[in-house]
Amino acid sequence: MSELLVNLLGERLVNSEKAEVDVQALGSKLSLVGLYFGCSLNGPCKQFNASLCEFYSKFKKSSEHKDKLEIVFVSSDQDQKHWQDFLQEMQWPALPFKDRHKKMKLWNKYKVTSIPSLVFVDAATGKVLCRNGLLVVRDDPKGLEFPWGPKPFAEVVAGPLLRNNRQTTDISSLEGHYVGVYFSAHWCPPCRSLTRVLVESYRTVKESGQKFEMVFVSADRSEESFQQYFSEMPWLAVPYSDEARRSRLNRLFGIQGIPTLILLDTEGHMITRQGRVEVLNDPECRLFPWHPRPVLELSESNAVQLHEGPCLVLFVDAEEEGELEPAKELIQPIAEKIMAKYKAKEEETPLLFFVAGENSCAPLPPESSISPTILPPALSAGGIMELS
């Protein structure tokens, strides 16, 4: 356990008193580590930091698991004085300011796309137990659900589901079906654009005889807005009034941005988190249920993935259709080997593979095209962004 944490965090951390913290000694008693990604100059980080301090203090004083959890701050500050001042507010250790390489590796390994972000990982294996720790702090202030590991989808979604004709059903409607879990909101323009495409894809798949159902999990700002938006959808929804269940689903899938479409197989296991990209790239739904492909052709619709983690892009001097196939065949065995390795460990593949020709896509979207949108208090702790 200690050896894994040393590989993950380095041999030494630092606390608010500028004292070094030995990671090997720390790891000998831990079962869970919360990696807190943030920045002193970020308003939402400052707001969340106060909530996390209160949560941490209560947990360390009253939880029977108080010795099994530690938080580690992973800063993106550029100024050491700002970092040091922010660290003074914290009761937990941090990665040293100058250890930028280690910080970047953690950002990439856990695919952090926004701050603040709190990722709970198993101290023995490094596997993610909960990707959206911000919702843990909000929804479980006493830490009663420790260690906040994933639960079966059927258990989390259990309860009444709505149809847009105001009738209700239950999760038996999902049994034996592929399921798309759709996190979206009417106020989000990219969400509305994707919904129009999804309606057509949903009908195409259903008409082909496939067992497919979708569940809308709203991030709308009012019941009225939810009802207006849901009236456009031919699938099911979690009732807007059931905020606890909506929050648990956000926690289960670690939702940080909308629109997000999670695709599950008939047993409730995840097929892909990239349902949005898959649907946009396959308007005729020929590749349903959209299992991940080892190598993708870079396009305007999937270029957003370049901002979500490490990618390998093989650029080819190709203008005509079919000229990218030899490039795909070249790197496909490597991509398949890596996918198989991480699938066996039940982990996400850490590297995505693309091939691109001269006309593969329009100019790639700038990093600023993935911009945070502040949500109302009821949802702001979820760290959800609008992905444009």
Side-chain angles (χ1 to χ4, degrees):
M1 182 187 298
S2 298
E3 188 175 326
L4 181 135
L5 284 183
V6 169
N7 289 334
L8 197 65
L9 304 173
E11 295 183 354
R12 297 283 185 274
L13 300 174
V14 62
N15 63 22
S16 59
E17 299 173 352
K18 300 183 181 179
E20 289 189 344
V21 177
D22 184 88
V23 172
Q24 187 146 359
L26 181 70
S28 62
K29 56 187 177 181
L30 295 179
S31 62
L32 193 70
V33 175
L35 298 174
Y36 169 28
F37 298 86
C39 175
S40 65
L41 301 180
N42 179 276
C45 286
K46 290 181 179 179
Q47 183 181 1
F48 174 68
N49 198 66
S51 300
L52 184 58
C53 283
E54 183 179 355
F55 171 87
Y56 184 88
S57 179
K58 287 181 180 178
F59 190 89
K60 289 295 185 179
K61 285 179 182 177
S62 59
S63 174
E64 62 180 301
H65 307 293
K66 60 185 178 182
D67 294 328
K68 296 181 179 179
L69 169 69
E70 189 54 272
I71 305 292
V72 176
F73 180 47
V74 184
S75 171
S76 54
D77 280 287
Q78 301 298 309
D79 181 275
Q80 188 164 1
K81 178 67 166 57
H82 290 155
W83 170 80
Q84 187 65 54
D85 290 346
F86 200 32
L87 190 58
Q88 293 296 314
E89 303 174 17
M90 301 177 186
Q91 305 161 49
W92 48 83
L95 259 68
F97 176 77
K98 294 182 180 179
D99 201 348
R100 300 193 178 192
H101 177 68
K102 188 71 70 176
K103 294 175 189 177
M104 186 58 66
K105 283 184 69 175
L106 289 171
W107 275 76
N108 288 335
K109 179 178 178 65
Y110 295 108
K111 298 185 178 180
V112 177
T113 57
S114 65
I115 56 172
S117 184
L118 178 61
V119 181
F120 288 113
V121 302
D122 188 307
T125 65
K127 289 184 179 180
V128 174
L129 290 186
C130 178
R131 196 175 292 278
N132 200 334
L134 280 71
L135 287 179
V136 168
V137 172
R138 188 192 75 176
D139 296 344
D140 186 23
K142 295 182 180 179
L144 300 178
E145 297 178 35
F146 178 90
W148 309 293
K151 298 178 180 178
F153 169 70
E155 180 180 333
V156 178
V157 78
L161 295 171
L162 298 179
R163 300 188 187 278
N164 63 12
N165 60 4
R166 298 183 181 271
Q167 293 182 347
T168 61
T169 184
D170 56 31
I171 61 168
S172 63
S173 302
L174 306 179
E175 291 177 2
H177 286 64
Y178 292 100
V179 177
V181 190
Y182 183 37
F183 298 84
S184 185
H186 187 264
W187 52 262
C188 162
C191 293
R192 296 198 301 274
S193 297
L194 179 61
T195 297
R196 288 191 288 271
V197 176
L198 276 178
V199 168
E200 295 305 314
S201 297
Y202 176 83
R203 287 173 175 156
T204 298
V205 173
K206 297 283 273 188
E207 288 169 3
S208 72
Q210 297 273 10
K211 289 189 173 183
F212 180 49
E213 192 50 83
M214 286 183 50
V215 178
F216 170 43
V217 183
S218 172
D220 285 296
R221 293 168 174 162
S222 69
E223 175 80 35
E224 181 182 3
S225 180
F226 162 76
Q227 292 292 353
Q228 178 186 350
Y229 193 30
F230 184 44
S231 69
E232 305 170 12
M233 303 176 184
W235 46 75
L236 307 175
V238 175
Y240 184 79
S241 59
D242 196 342
E243 184 179 338
R245 189 161 31 139
R246 291 191 289 124
S247 183
R248 288 195 298 270
L249 286 163
N250 273 275
R251 275 172 53 187
L252 177 64
F253 295 115
I255 303 302
Q256 294 183 331
I258 55 174
T260 293
L261 176 62
I262 305 289
L263 291 164
L264 308 176
D265 66 18
T266 55
E267 301 297 321
H269 302 133
M270 188 184 299
I271 294 174
T272 180
R273 302 178 60 86
Q274 298 291 342
R276 174 196 189 195
V277 170
E278 295 294 343
V279 168
L280 291 175
N281 280 340
D282 184 27
E284 296 180 358
C285 304
R286 292 178 178 174
L287 300 176
F288 177 85
W290 299 298
H291 287 280
R293 286 166 285 165
V295 183
L296 299 173
E297 288 189 24
L298 190 62
S299 66
E300 192 170 358
S301 60
N302 64 28
V304 66
Q305 293 177 267
L306 299 180
H307 296 312
E308 295 177 1
C311 300
L312 185 150
V313 184
L314 178 58
F315 288 94
V316 181
D317 184 12
E319 297 181 2
E320 297 182 10
E321 188 175 347
E323 290 186 335
L324 291 177
E325 288 305 314
K328 276 188 183 179
E329 293 171 4
L330 178 67
I331 61 175
Q332 181 118 348
I334 302 170
E336 288 176 344
K337 185 176 181 180
I338 291 176
M339 284 182 71
K341 175 183 176 181
Y342 283 88
K343 184 176 182 180
K345 296 194 291 184
E346 297 183 347
E347 294 181 12
E348 290 187 49
T349 305
L351 181 66
L352 298 178
F353 291 82
F354 295 87
V355 294
E358 291 185 14
N359 300 320
S360 288
C361 63
L364 299 185
E367 199 164 349
S368 60
S369 71
I370 307 178
S371 54
T373 299
I374 303 301
L375 295 182
L379 287 172
S380 61
I384 296 176
M385 300 188 304
E386 170 191 329
L387 300 181
S388 55

